[in-house]
Structure formats: C-alpha cells, structure tokens
C-alpha cells in the first residue's frame, strides 16, 4: 500500500538488511519526495528508509512502507541570523533490526543544528554535521521515541555515525562514529527501546583524537553480557598506533582494534591494535589503506575476524596501480591467518589457503 515517487538522479542506497522474517530494509539519502510527506531534500537531501515484505507467491518483494526522515531533535531545521532556513543535509547510513522484528535502529548524520549558528573564519554562516540516531516501529515505520543528535566527543567538530549494532541481549545499542575515533552505547532497556541513556565508551584511546582517525565498523562479540563487553572496531588512522610502524602515513593506514570493558556502557580498553600499512618510506608514505567492513565467524569452536578494504599500495602483494581490494582473516588475538590483495600484478605468490 506504499507509494514511491523518485524524480531526482540523486537517490542513494547506503545499506541493506534482511530481518528474521525475510523482510528487506534499505536506507540512504534522497533528493525527492519519496513518501508524500513533502520533505523534499533539494540540493542537500533527506534520510530515507523503506521496508519490503515477501509476496505470497514467494517470488518477489512488496513495498510495505517508505519513510523520508528529517530530525525531530533540534526542531527539524535551523534559522540563520538573516532568517534564511537551509535544508538539513540528512543522511542515513546504517540499519539493524531486532531479532523479533519489532524495531528498526538507524544511524547517520544531519546538519540540523541543536547548538546554534556556526561561523567560518571569514564570518560566513556555516553548519557542521552531527551524528543522528533513530528508532522506528518495524510494522509501520513510525517513530518509537524521539530521535537523538550527538555532537561526538567534541562539540567543536562535525560528527558522523557509520555503523550501528545491538548487543546479544539486545539491551544495548553500539554506535561508532567520527570525526576522531569514538564509540558510544545506549542502554535501550528490555521493553520499548529508548535513547535517553548514552555513554561514551571510547574517545580516542589509543587512537589520538584527530579528525583523520575514522572508525567505520563495529562488531560485538556474542559472548558480550551486561558485565562483560568485547567489541572490534575497524577503520583508518593517520598516526602510528601499534608501536611497530616507524612513520606516519599522511593519507591513512587500515586499523583494527579489539576492546574490552566491564560492561557495555563502561569505558573500554584495547586488547590489541593491528595497523596495516602499504609499502613505503618515511619520505614517501603517501598511500591510502582502509578497512571498510568486517565480520566475526565461529569455525569449529574458534572465532575469527574476516576484514575487507582497499589499498593504494602493496599491502599484501604487488599493486597493479590505482586502488586494490584486500581481504584478510585474523584470530581474535590479532594473529594474521592470511591476507590477500586483489588486482595485483601477475607473478604474485599470495594465495588464499
């Protein structure tokens, strides 16, 4: 019964997920009026999410609902000193659904301000992106509770959220974001989830709080409980983090860190730090390496991390030029099992065992 009207060439899907009832969800950004709410993203865009259900024949999917979102928090807009009201540049980047298929958890960023007008060095009005968290009813897409806008660890910088995960008990919601390297947890409770109880559990340690140090993915270990939290965070850094590399890479190295805490909402410390860097020298280290996604898999009673990303140099082979993808397997203590680079020159001895 839902309608979908896209009239722009700027419609983005940033994540897809299927719940336990085989419903498919998509999130992203739109510059159209997708759901008839007249929230037209214009040049900046609105966040959107939709739900598809399997049809009775089992041969396809039906659009159940589509929602175009602009933050409730902060009033949904902001007005400059001249009275001009720009659009919010809202974006939804990740989604997760609880095991009972009752709630949809979303994260992203918005330029709707809850901290007043910001000015650049020339005195011009400007905006900063802020992290954005939303919970919707999976049945109809309505808000379950008011959304939340976060400043990140520093109110003077932009903040973004790229990944969102539930704890095994589904009482806690992990969100990972930047600028800088930070991660927080919501204690959403056991009934109708709320976003009132938030804790920063990582704010830059051991990664320095630099805008260039960016985490993109968080994985929660299945053994995590209310008294023991084990998480893995990956992304990229521009500084030496693991005590092994002798120079800083100005464009960024791939980074994977394991953290543990006494609870999901307590401050976490690192168990290991793994930094992957392309071949270079202290005078020419300008290669961009990044871990973009990872999963935790149990094989014959032992857990392993699989990571993937891209490199601009020779991270596990000889680059053929441009950017190459890579995939790797690691034990939960950070020990490499194998690392393979795609797109390398012929004659490489790298293989997946």
């Amino acid at each position: 019964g839902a309608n979908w009207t896209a009239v722009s060439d700027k419609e983005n899907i940033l994540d897809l997920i299927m719940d336990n009832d085989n419903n498919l969800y998509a999130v992203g950004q739109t510059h159209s009026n997708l759901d008839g709410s007249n929230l037209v993203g214009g040049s900046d865009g609105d966040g959107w999410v939709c739900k598809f259900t399997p049809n009775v024949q089992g041969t396809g999917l039906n659009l159940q609902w589509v929602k175009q979102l602009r933050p409730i928090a902060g009033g949904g807009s902001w007005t400059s000193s001249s009275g001009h009201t720009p659009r919010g540049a809202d974006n939804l980047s990740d989604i997760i659904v609880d095991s009972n298929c009752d709630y949809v958890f979303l994260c992203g960023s918005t330029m709707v301000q809850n901290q007043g007008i910001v000015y650049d060095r020339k005195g011009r009005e400007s905006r900063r992106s802020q992290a954005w968290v939303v919970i919707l009813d999976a049945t109809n897409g309505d808000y379950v509770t008011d959304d939340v806008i976060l400043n990140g660890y520093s109110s003077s910088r932009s903040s973004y959220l790229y990944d969102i995960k539930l704890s095994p008990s589904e009482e806690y919601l992990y969100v990972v974001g930047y600028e800088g390297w930070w991660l927080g947890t919501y204690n959403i409770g056991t009934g109708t989830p709320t976003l009132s109880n938030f804790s920063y559990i990582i704010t830059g340690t051991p990664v320095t709080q630099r805008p260039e140090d960016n985490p993109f993915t968080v994985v929660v270990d299945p053994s995590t409980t209310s008294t023991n939290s084990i998480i893995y965070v990956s992304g990229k850094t521009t500084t030496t983090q693991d005590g092994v590399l002798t120079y800083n890479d100005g464009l960024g190295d791939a980074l994977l860190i394991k953290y543990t805490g006494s609870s999901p909402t307590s401050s976490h410390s690192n168990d290991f730090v793994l930094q992957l860097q392309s071949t270079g020298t202290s005078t020419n280290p300008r290669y961009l390496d990044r871990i973009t996604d990872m999963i935790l898999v149990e094989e014959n009673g032992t857990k392993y991390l699989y990571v993937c990303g891209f490199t601009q140099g020779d991270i596990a082979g000889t680059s053929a030029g441009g950017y190459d993808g890579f995939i790797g397997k690691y034990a939960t203590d950070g020990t490499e099992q194998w690392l393979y680079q795609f797109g390398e020159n012929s004659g490489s001895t790298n293989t997946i065992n």
Side-chain angles (χ1 to χ4, degrees):
N3 294 317
W4 180 307
T5 304
V7 297
S8 169
D9 60 353
K10 298 179 180 180
E11 314 301 333
N12 300 321
I13 294 178
L14 297 179
D15 195 27
L16 291 168
I17 193 171
M18 184 167 284
D19 67 18
N20 289 342
D21 289 339
N22 296 322
N23 301 304
L24 182 69
Y25 299 81
V27 296
Q29 187 185 61
T30 179
H31 294 255
S32 300
N33 182 15
L34 292 183
D35 64 354
S37 63
N38 293 318
L39 286 178
V40 181
S43 60
D44 289 332
D46 295 327
W48 69 273
V49 56
C50 68
K51 177 183 180 180
F52 295 92
T53 57
N55 61 27
V56 293
Q57 294 82 15
T59 57
L61 296 169
N62 296 324
L63 181 62
Q64 185 71 17
W65 50 259
V66 56
K67 296 290 182 177
Q68 189 162 337
L69 302 178
R70 187 170 295 175
I72 297 173
S77 64
W78 66 279
T79 303
S80 71
S81 57
S82 60
H84 178 58
T85 304
R87 295 183 172 90
D90 309 315
N91 186 64
L92 292 171
S93 57
D94 199 31
I95 180 172
I96 193 167
V97 181
D98 70 307
S99 59
N100 291 326
C101 309
D102 293 327
Y103 304 108
V104 178
F105 302 87
L106 305 160
C107 72
S109 64
T110 178
M111 283 190 177
V112 168
Q113 294 293 307
N114 63 354
Q115 59 180 358
I117 304 300
V118 179
Y119 295 91
D120 64 15
R121 293 180 180 179
K122 294 183 178 181
R124 297 173 299 190
E125 297 171 0
S126 63
R127 296 169 290 168
R128 293 191 179 100
S129 294
Q130 294 173 282
W132 184 26
V133 184
V134 181
I135 305 179
L136 302 180
D137 188 316
T139 302
N140 51 29
D142 290 343
Y143 276 93
V144 171
T145 183
D146 283 358
D147 54 3
V148 170
I149 295 176
L150 296 170
N151 287 328
Y153 69 85
S154 172
S155 60
S156 64
R157 292 177 175 174
S158 293
S159 60
Y160 307 80
L161 289 177
Y162 270 83
D163 201 16
I164 187 168
K165 292 291 193 306
L166 285 165
S167 68
S169 67
E170 301 188 346
E171 297 177 61
Y172 302 93
L173 188 68
Y174 294 83
V175 291
V176 64
Y178 76 95
E179 289 180 351
W181 188 279
W182 61 272
L183 189 142
T185 312
Y186 287 95
N187 183 347
I188 59 176
T190 57
T192 302
T194 66
L195 293 172
S196 57
N197 299 313
F198 179 77
S199 303
Y200 289 104
I201 61 175
I202 300 168
T203 54
T205 304
V207 183
T208 56
Q209 294 180 347
R210 293 168 56 91
E212 299 84 2
D213 295 334
N214 305 148
F216 299 111
T217 306
V218 58
V219 168
V220 184
D221 194 288
S223 63
T224 292
T225 66
S226 60
T227 58
N228 179 45
S229 176
I230 303 174
I231 56 175
Y232 305 86
V233 182
S234 64
K236 66 104 173 173
T237 180
T238 58
T239 53
T240 301
Q241 305 296 343
D242 61 1
V244 176
L245 301 178
T246 57
Y247 60 87
N248 297 339
D249 190 327
L251 291 181
D253 299 334
L255 189 65
L256 170 62
I257 303 179
K258 178 182 180 180
Y259 294 99
T260 57
S262 59
S263 74
T265 58
S266 66
S267 178
H268 285 47
S269 59
N270 63 294
D271 271 16
F272 74 75
V273 180
L274 175 68
Q275 188 167 354
L276 301 176
Q277 186 176 65
S278 297
T279 303
T281 67
S282 59
T283 58
N284 186 26
R286 305 285 292 181
Y287 296 109
L288 176 59
D289 311 312
R290 182 177 297 181
I291 295 175
T292 56
D293 204 3
M294 63 177 172
I295 58 173
L296 183 66
V297 177
E298 186 170 329
E299 302 172 4
N300 299 320
T302 303
K303 297 172 184 174
Y304 295 97
L305 285 162
Y306 287 86
V307 303
C308 66
F310 63 85
T311 176
Q312 200 177 7
D314 305 336
I315 206 168
T318 303
S319 174
Y323 290 95
D324 293 343
F326 69 84
I327 183 171
K329 178 181 180 180
Y330 293 88
T332 54
D333 63 357
T335 302
E336 180 184 311
Q337 307 299 297
W338 50 257
L339 186 64
Y340 183 81
Q341 182 171 338
F342 298 91
E344 57 201 312
N345 283 325
S346 61
S348 170
T349 59
N350 282 280
T351 59
I352 295 179
N353 183 0

